[in-house]
Amino acid sequence: PEWYLTQVLMWIGNHAQFLDEKIQPILDKAGSSVNAGLEFSRGLVMLILEKLAADIPCLLYDDTLFCHLVDEVLLFERELYSVHGYLSSFPSCMHILSEESCFQRWLTVEKKFALQKMDSMLSSEAAWISQYKDITDVDEMKVPDCAETFMTLLLVITDRYKNLPTASRKLQFLGLQKELVDDFRIRLTQVMKEETRASLGFRYCAILNAVNYIATVLADWADNV
């Protein structure tokens, strides 16, 4: 997908000056409110929507390819809005990703890869060690690596779904994040039970620091609608 997504971004960029300097004055002179550059972009995005609608059913059950498609579409959307000033009221790829069969697959794949990430972060040798243990002024909370990585995972998921067009779809992703928080809580509890005989031990203290850090960050995020 990156080939045709990049191609469209190149076409938009390469034609911007011509549309702005040659075509826009003609439209302005005719008293039209049409923005030549945005209409050109909208037309190309419509082609992409057709292409995605044809591609997605073929990739739906290949986790790696489907995940790659979603990643590339999200990168494309980000550049389309931030660099080329595309309007949120125009048709976008997020509408395709929001369609029921595609969206449910996206949620499933997102959960699968998040759980795999959690498995690897907790089995890492550095799981309970702070990355900043030697920098006192940075490491007041003594945050273990697994807790920091977990919160980064949640933040990345938020970043991926924040531009979905409807609140109901965003709430479904929020539901996934709540599941992941609960799953992480259960994992911490399991590790803590193994450490109860050494409640002043290194790992037991690291678990308490992890819980404190996660609670603090979630409280900070409470203002983020």
Side-chain angles (χ1 to χ4, degrees), residues 183-194:
D183 189 283
F184 197 71
R185 176 189 65 81
I186 291 167
R187 291 169 189 242
L188 288 181
T189 305
Q190 288 168 343
V191 177
M192 190 172 71
K193 284 177 180 174
E194 298 169 10

mmCIF file with all atom_site columns, all heavy atoms in Angstrom, residues 183-194:
data_model
loop_
_atom_site.group_PDB
_atom_site.id
_atom_site.type_symbol
_atom_site.label_atom_id
_atom_site.label_alt_id
_atom_site.label_comp_id
_atom_site.label_asym_id
_atom_site.label_entity_id
_atom_site.label_seq_id
_atom_site.pdbx_PDB_ins_code
_atom_site.Cartn_x
_atom_site.Cartn_y
_atom_site.Cartn_z
_atom_site.occupancy
_atom_site.B_iso_or_equiv
_atom_site.pdbx_formal_charge
_atom_site.auth_seq_id
_atom_site.auth_comp_id
_atom_site.auth_asym_id
_atom_site.auth_atom_id
_atom_site.pdbx_PDB_model_num
ATOM 1   N N   . ASP A 1 183 ? -5.644 -6.413  32.276 1.00 0.00 ? 183 ASP A N   1
ATOM 2   C CA  . ASP A 1 183 ? -4.750 -7.549  32.037 1.00 0.00 ? 183 ASP A CA  1
ATOM 3   C C   . ASP A 1 183 ? -3.388 -7.300  32.687 1.00 0.00 ? 183 ASP A C   1
ATOM 4   O O   . ASP A 1 183 ? -2.806 -8.189  33.321 1.00 0.00 ? 183 ASP A O   1
ATOM 5   C CB  . ASP A 1 183 ? -4.593 -7.762  30.529 1.00 0.00 ? 183 ASP A CB  1
ATOM 6   C CG  . ASP A 1 183 ? -3.856 -9.051  30.196 1.00 0.00 ? 183 ASP A CG  1
ATOM 7   O OD1 . ASP A 1 183 ? -2.624 -9.070  30.335 1.00 0.00 ? 183 ASP A OD1 1
ATOM 8   O OD2 . ASP A 1 183 ? -4.506 -10.034 29.797 1.00 0.00 ? 183 ASP A OD2 1
ATOM 9   N N   . PHE A 1 184 ? -2.886 -6.073  32.555 1.00 0.00 ? 184 PHE A N   1
ATOM 10  C CA  . PHE A 1 184 ? -1.586 -5.730  33.150 1.00 0.00 ? 184 PHE A CA  1
ATOM 11  C C   . PHE A 1 184 ? -1.675 -5.789  34.675 1.00 0.00 ? 184 PHE A C   1
ATOM 12  O O   . PHE A 1 184 ? -0.748 -6.248  35.345 1.00 0.00 ? 184 PHE A O   1
ATOM 13  C CB  . PHE A 1 184 ? -1.161 -4.327  32.689 1.00 0.00 ? 184 PHE A CB  1
ATOM 14  C CG  . PHE A 1 184 ? 0.302  -4.038  32.900 1.00 0.00 ? 184 PHE A CG  1
ATOM 15  C CD1 . PHE A 1 184 ? 1.269  -4.666  32.136 1.00 0.00 ? 184 PHE A CD1 1
ATOM 16  C CD2 . PHE A 1 184 ? 0.717  -3.130  33.859 1.00 0.00 ? 184 PHE A CD2 1
ATOM 17  C CE1 . PHE A 1 184 ? 2.623  -4.409  32.319 1.00 0.00 ? 184 PHE A CE1 1
ATOM 18  C CE2 . PHE A 1 184 ? 2.061  -2.860  34.057 1.00 0.00 ? 184 PHE A CE2 1
ATOM 19  C CZ  . PHE A 1 184 ? 3.015  -3.499  33.282 1.00 0.00 ? 184 PHE A CZ  1
ATOM 20  N N   . ARG A 1 185 ? -2.805 -5.333  35.226 1.00 0.00 ? 185 ARG A N   1
ATOM 21  C CA  . ARG A 1 185 ? -3.013 -5.403  36.676 1.00 0.00 ? 185 ARG A CA  1
ATOM 22  C C   . ARG A 1 185 ? -2.947 -6.855  37.158 1.00 0.00 ? 185 ARG A C   1
ATOM 23  O O   . ARG A 1 185 ? -2.289 -7.161  38.163 1.00 0.00 ? 185 ARG A O   1
ATOM 24  C CB  . ARG A 1 185 ? -4.385 -4.807  37.026 1.00 0.00 ? 185 ARG A CB  1
ATOM 25  C CG  . ARG A 1 185 ? -4.756 -4.919  38.495 1.00 0.00 ? 185 ARG A CG  1
ATOM 26  C CD  . ARG A 1 185 ? -6.203 -4.526  38.733 1.00 0.00 ? 185 ARG A CD  1
ATOM 27  N NE  . ARG A 1 185 ? -7.148 -5.427  38.092 1.00 0.00 ? 185 ARG A NE  1
ATOM 28  C CZ  . ARG A 1 185 ? -7.515 -6.608  38.598 1.00 0.00 ? 185 ARG A CZ  1
ATOM 29  N NH1 . ARG A 1 185 ? -6.988 -7.045  39.731 1.00 0.00 ? 185 ARG A NH1 1
ATOM 30  N NH2 . ARG A 1 185 ? -8.409 -7.348  37.954 1.00 0.00 ? 185 ARG A NH2 1
ATOM 31  N N   . ILE A 1 186 ? -3.602 -7.761  36.424 1.00 0.00 ? 186 ILE A N   1
ATOM 32  C CA  . ILE A 1 186 ? -3.599 -9.179  36.798 1.00 0.00 ? 186 ILE A CA  1
ATOM 33  C C   . ILE A 1 186 ? -2.177 -9.743  36.746 1.00 0.00 ? 186 ILE A C   1
ATOM 34  O O   . ILE A 1 186 ? -1.747 -10.479 37.640 1.00 0.00 ? 186 ILE A O   1
ATOM 35  C CB  . ILE A 1 186 ? -4.539 -9.981  35.870 1.00 0.00 ? 186 ILE A CB  1
ATOM 36  C CG1 . ILE A 1 186 ? -5.994 -9.600  36.144 1.00 0.00 ? 186 ILE A CG1 1
ATOM 37  C CG2 . ILE A 1 186 ? -4.351 -11.486 36.061 1.00 0.00 ? 186 ILE A CG2 1
ATOM 38  C CD1 . ILE A 1 186 ? -6.982 -10.084 35.094 1.00 0.00 ? 186 ILE A CD1 1
ATOM 39  N N   . ARG A 1 187 ? -1.441 -9.363  35.716 1.00 0.00 ? 187 ARG A N   1
ATOM 40  C CA  . ARG A 1 187 ? -0.051 -9.842  35.584 1.00 0.00 ? 187 ARG A CA  1
ATOM 41  C C   . ARG A 1 187 ? 0.808  -9.338  36.747 1.00 0.00 ? 187 ARG A C   1
ATOM 42  O O   . ARG A 1 187 ? 1.623  -10.083 37.287 1.00 0.00 ? 187 ARG A O   1
ATOM 43  C CB  . ARG A 1 187 ? 0.539  -9.381  34.247 1.00 0.00 ? 187 ARG A CB  1
ATOM 44  C CG  . ARG A 1 187 ? -0.085 -10.063 33.026 1.00 0.00 ? 187 ARG A CG  1
ATOM 45  C CD  . ARG A 1 187 ? 0.362  -9.369  31.751 1.00 0.00 ? 187 ARG A CD  1
ATOM 46  N NE  . ARG A 1 187 ? -0.356 -9.819  30.581 1.00 0.00 ? 187 ARG A NE  1
ATOM 47  C CZ  . ARG A 1 187 ? 0.214  -10.426 29.527 1.00 0.00 ? 187 ARG A CZ  1
ATOM 48  N NH1 . ARG A 1 187 ? 1.503  -10.683 29.530 1.00 0.00 ? 187 ARG A NH1 1
ATOM 49  N NH2 . ARG A 1 187 ? -0.498 -10.785 28.483 1.00 0.00 ? 187 ARG A NH2 1
ATOM 50  N N   . LEU A 1 188 ? 0.623  -8.072  37.118 1.00 0.00 ? 188 LEU A N   1
ATOM 51  C CA  . LEU A 1 188 ? 1.384  -7.526  38.249 1.00 0.00 ? 188 LEU A CA  1
ATOM 52  C C   . LEU A 1 188 ? 1.029  -8.270  39.546 1.00 0.00 ? 188 LEU A C   1
ATOM 53  O O   . LEU A 1 188 ? 1.901  -8.571  40.363 1.00 0.00 ? 188 LEU A O   1
ATOM 54  C CB  . LEU A 1 188 ? 1.090  -6.033  38.419 1.00 0.00 ? 188 LEU A CB  1
ATOM 55  C CG  . LEU A 1 188 ? 1.673  -5.070  37.376 1.00 0.00 ? 188 LEU A CG  1
ATOM 56  C CD1 . LEU A 1 188 ? 1.292  -3.626  37.718 1.00 0.00 ? 188 LEU A CD1 1
ATOM 57  C CD2 . LEU A 1 188 ? 3.188  -5.185  37.279 1.00 0.00 ? 188 LEU A CD2 1
ATOM 58  N N   . THR A 1 189 ? -0.256 -8.569  39.704 1.00 0.00 ? 189 THR A N   1
ATOM 59  C CA  . THR A 1 189 ? -0.710 -9.291  40.904 1.00 0.00 ? 189 THR A CA  1
ATOM 60  C C   . THR A 1 189 ? -0.073 -10.674 40.979 1.00 0.00 ? 189 THR A C   1
ATOM 61  O O   . THR A 1 189 ? 0.346  -11.129 42.048 1.00 0.00 ? 189 THR A O   1
ATOM 62  C CB  . THR A 1 189 ? -2.242 -9.416  40.900 1.00 0.00 ? 189 THR A CB  1
ATOM 63  O OG1 . THR A 1 189 ? -2.819 -8.119  40.766 1.00 0.00 ? 189 THR A OG1 1
ATOM 64  C CG2 . THR A 1 189 ? -2.752 -10.046 42.188 1.00 0.00 ? 189 THR A CG2 1
ATOM 65  N N   . GLN A 1 190 ? 0.010  -11.335 39.827 1.00 0.00 ? 190 GLN A N   1
ATOM 66  C CA  . GLN A 1 190 ? 0.612  -12.677 39.797 1.00 0.00 ? 190 GLN A CA  1
ATOM 67  C C   . GLN A 1 190 ? 2.091  -12.621 40.201 1.00 0.00 ? 190 GLN A C   1
ATOM 68  O O   . GLN A 1 190 ? 2.565  -13.455 40.978 1.00 0.00 ? 190 GLN A O   1
ATOM 69  C CB  . GLN A 1 190 ? 0.468  -13.279 38.392 1.00 0.00 ? 190 GLN A CB  1
ATOM 70  C CG  . GLN A 1 190 ? -0.963 -13.684 38.062 1.00 0.00 ? 190 GLN A CG  1
ATOM 71  C CD  . GLN A 1 190 ? -1.155 -14.007 36.582 1.00 0.00 ? 190 GLN A CD  1
ATOM 72  O OE1 . GLN A 1 190 ? -0.327 -13.645 35.743 1.00 0.00 ? 190 GLN A OE1 1
ATOM 73  N NE2 . GLN A 1 190 ? -2.256 -14.672 36.265 1.00 0.00 ? 190 GLN A NE2 1
ATOM 74  N N   . VAL A 1 191 ? 2.801  -11.637 39.678 1.00 0.00 ? 191 VAL A N   1
ATOM 75  C CA  . VAL A 1 191 ? 4.213  -11.499 40.027 1.00 0.00 ? 191 VAL A CA  1
ATOM 76  C C   . VAL A 1 191 ? 4.353  -11.135 41.509 1.00 0.00 ? 191 VAL A C   1
ATOM 77  O O   . VAL A 1 191 ? 5.229  -11.641 42.209 1.00 0.00 ? 191 VAL A O   1
ATOM 78  C CB  . VAL A 1 191 ? 4.901  -10.422 39.149 1.00 0.00 ? 191 VAL A CB  1
ATOM 79  C CG1 . VAL A 1 191 ? 6.354  -10.241 39.565 1.00 0.00 ? 191 VAL A CG1 1
ATOM 80  C CG2 . VAL A 1 191 ? 4.832  -10.812 37.678 1.00 0.00 ? 191 VAL A CG2 1
ATOM 81  N N   . MET A 1 192 ? 3.455  -10.273 41.998 1.00 0.00 ? 192 MET A N   1
ATOM 82  C CA  . MET A 1 192 ? 3.522  -9.831  43.388 1.00 0.00 ? 192 MET A CA  1
ATOM 83  C C   . MET A 1 192 ? 3.324  -10.995 44.362 1.00 0.00 ? 192 MET A C   1
ATOM 84  O O   . MET A 1 192 ? 3.988  -11.081 45.399 1.00 0.00 ? 192 MET A O   1
ATOM 85  C CB  . MET A 1 192 ? 2.457  -8.760  43.638 1.00 0.00 ? 192 MET A CB  1
ATOM 86  C CG  . MET A 1 192 ? 2.584  -8.049  44.979 1.00 0.00 ? 192 MET A CG  1
ATOM 87  S SD  . MET A 1 192 ? 1.451  -6.656  45.112 1.00 0.00 ? 192 MET A SD  1
ATOM 88  C CE  . MET A 1 192 ? -0.115 -7.503  45.264 1.00 0.00 ? 192 MET A CE  1
ATOM 89  N N   . LYS A 1 193 ? 2.432  -11.920 43.985 1.00 0.00 ? 193 LYS A N   1
ATOM 90  C CA  . LYS A 1 193 ? 2.175  -13.077 44.856 1.00 0.00 ? 193 LYS A CA  1
ATOM 91  C C   . LYS A 1 193 ? 3.427  -13.941 45.021 1.00 0.00 ? 193 LYS A C   1
ATOM 92  O O   . LYS A 1 193 ? 3.633  -14.561 46.063 1.00 0.00 ? 193 LYS A O   1
ATOM 93  C CB  . LYS A 1 193 ? 1.023  -13.911 44.295 1.00 0.00 ? 193 LYS A CB  1
ATOM 94  C CG  . LYS A 1 193 ? -0.343 -13.282 44.544 1.00 0.00 ? 193 LYS A CG  1
ATOM 95  C CD  . LYS A 1 193 ? -1.459 -14.087 43.905 1.00 0.00 ? 193 LYS A CD  1
ATOM 96  C CE  . LYS A 1 193 ? -2.811 -13.443 44.175 1.00 0.00 ? 193 LYS A CE  1
ATOM 97  N NZ  . LYS A 1 193 ? -3.915 -14.123 43.450 1.00 0.00 ? 193 LYS A NZ  1
ATOM 98  N N   . GLU A 1 194 ? 4.247  -13.959 43.975 1.00 0.00 ? 194 GLU A N   1
ATOM 99  C CA  . GLU A 1 194 ? 5.493  -14.720 44.053 1.00 0.00 ? 194 GLU A CA  1
ATOM 100 C C   . GLU A 1 194 ? 6.514  -14.037 44.962 1.00 0.00 ? 194 GLU A C   1
ATOM 101 O O   . GLU A 1 194 ? 7.464  -14.665 45.427 1.00 0.00 ? 194 GLU A O   1
ATOM 102 C CB  . GLU A 1 194 ? 6.109  -14.874 42.652 1.00 0.00 ? 194 GLU A CB  1
ATOM 103 C CG  . GLU A 1 194 ? 5.228  -15.648 41.669 1.00 0.00 ? 194 GLU A CG  1
ATOM 104 C CD  . GLU A 1 194 ? 5.754  -15.535 40.242 1.00 0.00 ? 194 GLU A CD  1
ATOM 105 O OE1 . GLU A 1 194 ? 6.882  -15.030 40.063 1.00 0.00 ? 194 GLU A OE1 1
ATOM 106 O OE2 . GLU A 1 194 ? 5.030  -15.944 39.311 1.00 0.00 ? 194 GLU A OE2 1
#
